[in-house]
Amino acid sequence: MAKKRPAAQPQLKDGEIPVVGAREPCPCGSGRRYKACHGRTAAHAVTELVNRPFEGLPGECDWVALRELVPAATVPLHLKGGLPEGVPSVTLATVLPMAWPALRREDGSILLGLQNDSSSGDLARDMADTLERALATEPGNPVPPRRVPTEGVRLQDLLDTDGGFEPVVHTGFEFWIPDSESAQAATPEIAASLERANAAAIPTVKLSGVDAAYWCETPDKNHLRWVMPHAEEKLLDALARLQVAGETSLGEGTKLVGSFRAHGLMVPVWDLPTGMSASDVEKPAAQFAERLANALATDVPLTAEERRARGGLTSRQVTLS
């Protein structure tokens, strides 16, 4: 007896196919499992990482710093066309309670989290998806995480790129609690999350004299982490020149110890003496910035000694993302 064929499923266009579990039937109606059908496209999109997700946004270097280096900070965000009715403000926050991607407060304002996982490989697209959902969320509710569609708008499409980007670094995460409330009035879950976050936060200060440089204090020594916008190869050459010339120091007891790679940018790191405060490093950092600008403007080939110094700098790089 012949087997009955299953009824034909309505064919969906690629953009209409929802994301389902890898072993579930593909919603396109092909009869194959999702992972063997349209899931392949989604999985491929996830692996296509956007190297510089914040490129084109004002303050790209500070976006990287707040994503990877700064525990507690907020930044007012400016939307293209202004804020919608019922949304008094949109604020970027390094992290939110329970790692929420975003929160729509009772007054309609929005907190958008930065230090969250990326499901699409493009942080700017993930965060734009979260922001759009936050704008549509009823006040008083968090925005849950989800797998972001493989196509969609990015932050660069939603934010006013002429609006500026001015981070405010906080000593703790009390900014989670609205000014009209007290920490005691927070839910037990938020109160516990606040306590854990404050206990783990490293004291951090943004330097005022140079861009995207952050002083931080640890038990053994202090550090300066400086996110720079220059092309990596050019910056390595310049740092090698300065190192051979003995001009990478920020003062007695300081040392350029290596660098991070983060979101397509390079982050040189200095060890500082324990007693060296953020205000103490302001002037030396400004002076170093002038020396670096001169070194970046030099096109003379590196000497053998400078090439060795460059190799040492390269070997002390750590990739964060």
Side-chain angles (χ1 to χ4, degrees):
M1 190 173 178
K3 293 182 179 179
K4 291 183 178 181
R5 293 185 178 181
Q9 298 292 322
Q11 294 297 310
L12 302 175
K13 297 179 181 179
D14 285 355
E16 299 173 341
I17 296 169
V19 175
V20 298
R23 295 181 177 275
E24 295 180 42
C26 187
C28 75
S30 67
R32 290 180 292 172
R33 289 179 176 177
Y34 179 70
K35 70 176 183 179
C37 192
H38 281 85
R40 287 180 175 177
T41 302
H44 181 63
V46 170
T47 62
E48 291 183 340
L49 298 179
V50 174
N51 188 43
R52 289 178 62 181
F54 307 119
E55 186 176 15
L57 292 173
E60 179 188 6
C61 293
D62 284 308
W63 278 92
V64 172
L66 268 56
R67 165 74 184 184
E68 299 294 341
L69 307 172
V70 180
T74 55
V75 189
L77 295 181
H78 308 276
L79 305 188
K80 288 182 177 179
L83 294 169
E85 185 178 355
V87 181
S89 64
V90 176
T91 302
L92 182 72
T94 47
V95 69
L96 295 176
M98 279 75 80
W100 289 329
L103 171 65
R104 184 82 185 270
R105 283 176 160 165
E106 293 286 356
D107 67 353
S109 62
I110 291 171
L111 288 178
L112 178 66
L114 178 57
Q115 295 177 9
N116 293 304
D117 293 335
S118 171
S119 65
S120 74
D122 181 359
L123 272 169
R125 185 170 1 135
D126 289 352
M127 294 183 66
D129 177 82
T130 300
L131 177 54
E132 287 191 317
R133 289 190 292 134
L135 291 167
T137 295
E138 288 295 321
N141 292 286
V143 177
R146 75 166 184 176
R147 184 182 294 180
V148 175
T150 55
E151 295 182 359
V153 299
R154 307 178 73 235
L155 284 175
Q156 290 82 346
D157 301 313
L158 301 181
L159 300 184
D160 181 0
T161 54
D162 295 325
F165 193 80
E166 299 294 335
V168 177
V169 178
H170 304 275
T171 57
F173 294 87
E174 283 71 22
F175 63 84
W176 289 350
I177 312 298
D179 293 339
S180 59
E181 300 179 13
S182 65
Q184 290 74 24
T187 66
E189 293 83 2
I190 292 180
S193 186
L194 177 63
E195 184 177 356
R196 289 192 301 270
N198 280 343
I202 296 173
T204 302
V205 177
K206 185 181 189 300
L207 299 194
S208 60
V210 294
D211 292 333
Y214 291 80
W215 171 96
C216 66
E217 180 182 22
T218 63
D220 296 329
K221 60 186 71 175
N222 298 340
H223 304 279
L224 183 69
R225 300 162 174 173
W226 194 340
V227 186
M228 296 185 173
H230 319 292
E232 181 175 323
E233 297 302 313
K234 188 76 173 176
L235 180 55
L236 282 169
D237 284 352
L239 291 174
R241 297 180 198 279
L242 293 176
Q243 188 168 76
V244 170
E247 295 183 340
T248 58
S249 172
L250 298 178
E252 185 177 355
T254 69
K255 183 180 180 181
L256 175 64
V257 292
S259 62
F260 297 129
R261 283 195 193 100
H263 305 292
L265 298 181
M266 191 169 152
V267 188
V269 178
W270 283 261
D271 280 352
L272 310 174
T274 301
M276 192 172 196
S277 67
S279 59
D280 293 333
V281 81
E282 286 277 9
K283 184 176 179 180
Q287 292 170 338
F288 175 82
E290 293 180 3
R291 299 195 297 271
L292 179 63
N294 292 332
L296 286 166
T298 301
D299 292 325
V300 177
L302 297 179
T303 65
E305 188 177 5
E306 289 169 345
R307 288 196 299 272
R308 287 193 294 271
R310 191 186 193 281
L313 291 168
T314 302
S315 69
R316 297 195 299 276
Q317 286 184 309
V318 176
T319 300
L320 299 180
S321 56

